[in-house]
Amino acid sequence: MIYFALEGAEFSKKGAPEKIVSLSFNKFGNGLEMMERIRKYGGTFGVCPPCADRMGAVGENRIDWIENQDGVWLTQKMQECIVSWL
């Protein structure tokens, strides 16, 4: 599960992840391609609702498979899995 908050919420906005390309990890594709690969293997994505609003990732501007989820949901998920902050 990947959760976007603060400035990271921009990754939930259509058109934003495609602009992210890593010089070190370019063989994995751009940000959206990596996200889609994670999703293909069962990964899920959530975004902080106020953060998404701030970044303009709302309605038609948000990637449809990224869910608005609050801090309570995030805390529950963190209790169920191994957490890694990147």
Side-chain angles (χ1 to χ4, degrees):
M1 194 281 286
I2 294 178
Y3 187 77
F4 298 120
L6 304 171
E7 285 81 11
E10 185 172 358
F11 291 117
S12 65
K13 187 176 181 179
K14 287 183 179 175
E18 297 93 323
K19 297 176 185 173
I20 305 301
V21 179
S22 170
L23 297 175
S24 301
F25 300 103
N26 60 1
K27 66 181 177 183
F28 297 115
N30 64 41
L32 181 62
E33 291 168 334
M34 287 188 265
M35 290 164 60
E36 288 173 336
R37 190 174 302 110
I38 291 167
R39 189 169 165 250
K40 175 182 173 183
Y41 290 101
T44 59
F45 292 81
V47 64
C48 162
C51 302
D53 289 346
R54 183 172 167 259
M55 293 297 170
V58 295
E60 294 292 320
N61 290 327
R62 193 183 77 231
I63 297 171
D64 60 352
W65 40 265
I66 298 178
E67 299 179 43
N68 274 341
Q69 298 292 353
D70 63 15
V72 173
W73 177 86
L74 177 61
T75 302
Q76 289 171 338
K77 290 294 182 185
M78 289 171 60
Q79 293 173 354
E80 299 170 3
C81 60
I82 296 170
V83 176
S84 176
W85 296 97
L86 303 174

